[in-house]
């Protein structure tokens, strides 16, 4: 075990269900808690040991330095509950006892399984912001919930650790990417553990470890064997000044992001993966999956765009007339052939039939070079040639008839006309029917150092490509001191001369290694399989384990990965299915894209050119005016708008933006945990709104859920003692709960269960808040009811729940306790509306149980706001109670007020001129008339 702190502990390893000692609350030494406690299974492979040894060696010096500089914990007063003591205590307990370890070889496969997976992160130097835990908290709630329902749960975490940012940092600072990456992983791990996520850290993997990327290289060899990996000359972004190939995201407006140097398109030898060979299956198999509609919407929009639209839409188009013509088979006309920069060679055959009237790019090109524009589609059977723009939509065909060629499609709709032209082309021998996908083969090579080496060599004498034998894997990335570009177009790996120059083991001929590396996507294409069997050195994944765990039941991540990552992972999975490595056609059964968390609302005031404040609604050109940030305390709401408190006439701009350093709106989860606790952060992120929606961060919002947890603590534990500590036990009582308490509890159980299963976590929290409000009105709190509520709370706020469970007298973690089940008996609404009469006249109703006694019914009537005014201070002669039907209260005649009988409508001093029958009281079938001759006597 590695303890990354000055706090030394003697740890006894216990199985997940083992007993734990009773920890008295608020009696802990206030020492800095270790940012990381690592436990290593005795069965862990050398891969796991090696990764953690590297991590330890990288961080020892930094940790020693940070420990010496740490300030002592400041004592904080007025906390709603002692989360600062509870949360480190239970994080330490889970780590030491490996509470969430999923058994491997000794797994009971007779139980149902639940594989819940986060899209594993790239460990950047910035660490987490509060947007990251949104999806992680959701998956953790599901994982904890399913464990308590008796499932074997696989809930792992790892690192997508190769990539461009670490290499760029290495180039700028000379720091090896591995050192940077491992340091970042340590920070991420510390932050994730501080939030109490129930990951099985024994299964932690990283794509940068040779024991992992050995199998990434193995998959590449299988693709190569089946003709799905090939080399081709493709255009890349070449920067002569930097001497390197740049990724698309590194090129802005035709110049390099770094340095602003001109970038040109240059053909280079690249590795490609033939994903197009699986296009049909990738499309057809989507029907069997539970994937979000927002992926579907993107696919629908993207399918309407060609590669040209997606990559070249904003580019100014240039071209040259070749002097050659092609013959249009439909009308025999000569079509001029132009070479244009906006046409991609990889699109179709590399040549396309331009339709300038009905494609925006072709229209711009035709106008620029004065090429004739022929209109053949109109939305209303009328000419639109004077509109000044292309019409790309569907409509009615015009100007499209040639009797000599036997083709007339005038008057047809676009889709019907297209089918008729295809039939004509096949029958006339001018063409044939074919389905073209806009999907392109995957450009797989990168001219980078920090990536998986590609396991092939090239024979020096012939240039022949030779794949490495599988026994030679992993091909380990060589160490380099200089990561800068070569300047010649060769990748940085070309500098590792002793590594590059090799010999073909089979023939003994001299050879050169491939110096391109795999893209970052490679390692993330199959990591979900390795989590099933992370320490297997003999095969990618054990078949029996894959059959049990596959496919992933729920896969949660950002929408930014909804297309490329899922597309590539599905492609690789289908290849592995074809060669018998996996047993399922698809890797992920259900995909959920969580929304993003925007920064807090920012208020901006507008000033005109003279510096005077102007209202935001007085101009539509806000960008022409200066915007000034206004602090929240100077802002008030007026109707649907926000205005200045000191001048309500000035309407402000109120906007929330995606969190970024440049906007200064990033919220660090470490700060939130320090002030409110991890449980409050978890609870708030789930309470903000539906998981899939984007939401705006609000500090006042987290204060609300923090108060809810404080109320929960006080209800169960009680108020603090005079010294600020709390009782070691709870204030619950060993007493049978009432029907009302059981009904309240089981309605909460039913709602929370339903909402977790439907990933509607915010409404599940609302149900627990309603229960707490009701429980505060009870005279006592039966232990059985309190225990059930603590179990309901535990997936959301696990630290507090564990502490309360311990204080309730339990000696095992609640992580594997059965999740409460709602009893249908208590879900039925058995209350009735009971009419209440006063002296025979109905004065109101009360809500009672069907089994309500006369005493309880009268007590409820006496406290009812409407009925009490008739009963207060009155002498009751008798009560007539028919269960479930009516309560009739007969008052003593001596105490009857006339104003009661006249409903209080009598004007003071009014003297009626005749006898009035005021009321009639029905009692046991006898009619009694009360007659008044002179009201003044009352």
């Amino acid at each position: 075990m590695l303890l990354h702190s000055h706090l030394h502990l003697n740890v006894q390893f216990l199985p997940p269900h083992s007993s734990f000692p009773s920890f008295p609350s608020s009696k802990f030494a206030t020492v800095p808690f270790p940012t990381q406690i690592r436990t290593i299974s005795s069965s862990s492979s050398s891969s796991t040991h090696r990764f953690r040894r590297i991590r330890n060696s990288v961080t020892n010096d930094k940790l020693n330095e940070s420990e010496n500089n740490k300030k002592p914990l400041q004592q904080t007063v007025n906390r709603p509950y002692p989360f600062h003591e509870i949360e480190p205590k239970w994080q330490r307990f889970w780590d030491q006892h490996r509470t969430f370890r999923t058994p491997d070889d000794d797994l009971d496969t007779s139980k149902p399984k639940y594989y819940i997976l986060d899209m594993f992160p790239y460990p950047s130097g910035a660490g987490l912001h509060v947007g990251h835990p949104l999806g992680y908290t959701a998956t953790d709630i599901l994982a904890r919930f399913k464990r308590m329902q008796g499932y074997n749960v696989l809930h792992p975490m790892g690192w997508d650790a190769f990539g461009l940012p670490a290499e760029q940092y290495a180039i700028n600072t000379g720091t090896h990417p591995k050192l940077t990456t491992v340091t970042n992983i340590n920070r991420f791990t510390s932050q994730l553990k501080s939030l109490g996520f129930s990951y099985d850290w024994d299964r932690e993997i990283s794509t940068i470890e040779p024991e992992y990327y050995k199998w990434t290289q193995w998959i590449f060899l299988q693709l190569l064997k089946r003709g799905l990996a090939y080399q081709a000359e493709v255009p890349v972004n070449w920067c002569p000044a930097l001497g390197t190939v740049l990724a698309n995201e590194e090129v802005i407006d035709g110049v390099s992001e770094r340095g602003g140097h001109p970038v040109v398109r240059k053909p280079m030898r690249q590795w490609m993966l033939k994903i197009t060979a699986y296009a049909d299956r990738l499309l057809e198999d989507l029907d069997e999956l539970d994937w979000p509609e927002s992926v579907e919407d993107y696919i629908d929009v993207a399918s309407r765009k060609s590669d040209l639209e997606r990559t070249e839409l904003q580019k100014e188009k240039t071209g040259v007339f070749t002097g050659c013509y092609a013959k249009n088979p439909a009308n025999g006309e000569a079509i001029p052939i132009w070479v244009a920069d906006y046409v991609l060679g990889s699109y179709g055959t590399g040549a396309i039939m331009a339709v300038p009237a009905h494609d925006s790019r072709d229209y711009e090109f035709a106008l620029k070079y004065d090429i004739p524009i022929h209109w053949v589609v109109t939305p209303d059977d009328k000419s639109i040639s004077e509109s000044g723009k292309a019409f790309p939509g569907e409509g009615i065909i015009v100007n499209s008839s040639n009797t000599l060629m036997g083709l007339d499609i005038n008057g047809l709709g676009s889709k019907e006309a297209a089918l008729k032209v295809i039939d004509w082309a096949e029958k006339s021998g001018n063409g044939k029917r074919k389905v073209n996908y806009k999907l392109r083969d995957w450009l797989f090579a990168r001219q980078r150092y920090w990536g998986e080496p590609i396991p092939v060599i090239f024979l020096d004498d012939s240039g022949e490509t030779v794949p490495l034998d599988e026994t030679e894997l992993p091909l380990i990335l060589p160490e380099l001191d200089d990561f800068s570009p070569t300047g010649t177009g060769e990748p940085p790996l070309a500098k590792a001369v002793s590594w590059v120059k090799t010999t073909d083991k089979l023939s003994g001929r001299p050879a050169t290694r491939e110096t391109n590396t795999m893209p970052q996507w490679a390692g993330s294409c199959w990591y979900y399989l390795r989590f099933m069997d992370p320490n297997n050195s003999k095969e990618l994944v054990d078949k029996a384990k894959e059959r049990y765990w596959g496919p992933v039941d729920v896969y949660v991540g950002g929408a930014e990965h909804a297309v490329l990552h899922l597309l590539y992972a599905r492609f690789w999975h289908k290849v592995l299915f074809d060669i018998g490595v996996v047993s399922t056609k698809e890797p992920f059964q259900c995909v959920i894209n969580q929304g993003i968390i925007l920064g807090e609302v920012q208020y901006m005031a507008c000033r005109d050119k003279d510096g005077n404040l102007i209202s935001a609604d007085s101009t539509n050109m806000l960008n022409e005016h200066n915007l000034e940030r206004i602090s929240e305390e100077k802002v008030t709401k007026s109707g649907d708008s926000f205005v200045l408190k000191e001048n309500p006439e000035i309407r402000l701009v109120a906007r929330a933006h995606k969190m970024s350093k440049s906007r200064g709106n990033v919220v660090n989860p470490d700060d939130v945990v320090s002030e409110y606790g991890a449980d409050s952060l978890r609870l708030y992120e789930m309470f903000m709104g539906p998981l899939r929606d984007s939401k705006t961060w609000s500090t006042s919002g987290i204060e609300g859920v923090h108060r809810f947890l404080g109320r929960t603590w006080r209800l169960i534990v009680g108020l603090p003692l005079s010294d600020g500590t709390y009782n070691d036990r709870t204030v619950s009582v060993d007493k049978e709960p009432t029907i009302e308490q059981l009904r309240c509890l089981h309605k909460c159980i039913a709602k929370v269960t339903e909402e977790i299963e439907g990933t509607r976590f915010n409404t599940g929290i609302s149900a627990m808040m309603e229960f707490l409000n009701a429980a505060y009105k009870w005279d006592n709190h039966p232990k059985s009811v309190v225990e059930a509520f603590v179990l309901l709370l535990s997936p959301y706020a696990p630290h507090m729940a564990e502490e309360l469970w311990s204080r309730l007298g339990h000696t095992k973690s609640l992580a594997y306790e059965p999740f409460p089940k709602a009893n249908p008996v208590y879900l039925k609404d058995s209350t009735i509306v009971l009419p209440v009469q006063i002296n025979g006249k109905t004065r109101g109703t009360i809500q009672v149980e069907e089994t309500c006694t006369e005493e309880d019914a009268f007590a409820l009537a006496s406290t009812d706001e409407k009925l009490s005014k008739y009963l207060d201070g009155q002498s009751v002669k008798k009560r007539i109670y028919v269960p479930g039907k009516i309560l009739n209260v007969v008052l003593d005649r001596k105490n009857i007020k006339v104003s009661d009988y006249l409903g209080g409508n009598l004007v003071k001093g009014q003297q009626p001129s005749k006898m009035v029958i005021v009321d009639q009281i029905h009692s046991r079938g006898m009619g009694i008339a009360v007659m008044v001759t002179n009201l003044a006597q009352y």
Side-chain angles (χ1 to χ4, degrees), residues 456-486:
V456 298
I457 59 175
F458 305 100
L459 299 181
D460 290 348
D461 54 6
S462 65
E464 179 186 353
T465 301
V466 178
L468 293 187
D469 189 85
E470 294 177 9
T471 60
E472 298 181 66
L473 302 180
L475 173 61
I476 296 178
L477 190 67
E479 295 291 335
L480 281 183
D481 296 323
D482 180 11
F483 315 102
S484 60
T486 60

Side-chain angles (χ1 to χ4, degrees), residues 558-809:
E560 66 273 16
H561 299 301
V563 178
L564 289 182
H565 163 60
L566 294 176
L567 191 64
Y568 296 153
R570 293 180 63 225
F571 164 45
W572 276 31
H573 190 90
K574 290 183 181 300
V575 174
L576 293 174
F577 175 77
D578 290 347
I579 64 177
V581 174
V582 298
S583 60
T584 63
K585 292 192 298 182
E586 290 288 336
F588 316 116
Q589 186 58 37
C590 173
V591 172
I592 297 175
N593 297 135
Q594 82 271 14
I596 62 173
I597 294 183
L598 304 173
E600 291 203 70
V601 174
Q602 296 180 348
Y603 303 97
M604 311 294 289
C606 305
R607 292 189 182 273
D608 61 19
K609 60 183 179 180
D610 297 322
N612 301 312
L613 285 172
I614 58 175
S615 184
D617 55 2
S618 65
T619 176
N620 293 324
M621 300 294 289
L622 296 180
N623 57 336
E624 294 182 2
H625 301 82
N626 294 323
L627 292 177
E628 176 183 322
R629 180 84 176 267
I630 304 296
S631 59
E632 188 174 2
E633 58 267 18
K634 296 181 180 180
V635 177
T636 187
K637 192 167 186 183
S638 175
D640 294 331
S641 304
F642 293 92
V643 298
L644 280 176
K645 284 182 180 178
E646 62 183 19
N647 186 359
E649 297 299 318
I650 301 299
R651 182 181 173 187
L652 305 175
V653 178
R655 293 174 181 165
H657 300 275
K658 187 174 181 179
M659 290 186 182
S660 67
K661 287 184 178 180
S662 61
R663 292 190 179 276
N665 64 347
V666 173
V667 179
N668 189 327
D670 298 348
D671 298 333
V672 179
V673 170
S674 175
E675 186 169 357
Y676 298 101
D679 284 343
S680 292
L681 176 59
R682 292 168 60 109
L683 210 64
Y684 174 58
E685 296 214 351
M686 294 298 97
F687 193 58
M688 293 173 76
L691 175 62
R692 295 160 178 81
D693 292 356
S694 294
K695 297 161 277 284
T696 302
W697 179 266
S698 169
T699 300
S700 61
I702 194 170
E703 289 172 348
V705 297
H706 191 53
R707 287 193 296 271
F708 162 71
L709 289 175
R711 293 185 71 218
T712 300
W713 179 265
R714 292 191 298 274
L715 179 81
I716 299 174
V717 176
L719 296 174
L721 303 175
S722 58
D723 63 354
T725 63
Y726 292 87
N727 283 317
D728 296 339
R729 297 293 175 176
T730 69
V731 296
S732 61
V733 296
D734 288 320
K735 184 178 179 180
E736 286 297 317
T738 66
I739 295 295
E740 177 191 355
Q741 290 171 331
L742 289 172
R743 183 169 290 113
C744 184
L745 171 66
H746 284 269
K747 284 184 177 179
C748 183
I749 292 172
K751 185 66 172 177
V752 172
T753 302
E754 179 184 359
E755 300 308 88
I756 290 179
E757 289 175 339
T759 64
R760 297 180 294 270
F761 304 111
N762 55 322
T763 47
I765 296 171
S766 296
M768 290 187 284
M769 290 179 171
E770 292 174 6
F771 171 87
L772 193 70
N773 289 336
Y776 259 94
K777 299 176 183 177
W778 301 342
D779 294 331
N780 56 68
H781 301 92
K783 183 179 179 182
S784 61
V785 174
V786 171
E787 287 178 333
F789 178 69
V790 169
L791 293 175
L792 290 181
L793 181 66
S794 64
Y796 289 89
H799 304 90
M800 173 180 278
E802 288 275 24
E803 181 67 20
L804 294 175
W805 191 249
S806 173
R807 288 167 181 259
L808 284 163

Side-chain angles (χ1 to χ4, degrees), residues 316-419:
E316 182 181 358
K317 295 150 190 68
T318 60
V320 177
F321 177 49
T322 63
C324 301
Y325 293 84
K327 182 179 179 181
N328 185 338
N331 57 17
E333 291 184 2
I335 304 173
I337 299 176
W338 287 72
V339 175
D341 63 348
Y342 74 98
V343 179
L344 297 182
S346 60
Y347 183 75
T349 60
I352 64 169
M353 173 71 172
V355 189
H358 306 290
D359 181 278
S360 58
R361 303 167 313 286
D362 295 344
Y363 187 83
E364 293 173 11
F365 189 83
L367 285 179
K368 182 174 182 177
Y369 292 102
D370 198 26
I371 299 173
I373 298 175
H374 298 292
W375 298 86
V376 294
V377 183
T378 178
D380 52 9
D381 204 20
K382 296 179 181 178
S383 173
I384 57 170
S385 59
E386 304 301 323
S387 66
K389 59 182 180 180
F391 172 63
E394 296 181 357
I396 305 300
I397 302 299
V398 296
N399 302 324
S400 299
S401 175
N402 190 317
T403 55
L404 294 177
M405 296 293 182
L407 181 62
D408 182 1
I409 54 175
N410 281 335
L412 298 180
S414 301
K415 291 184 178 180
E416 184 183 359
L419 294 174

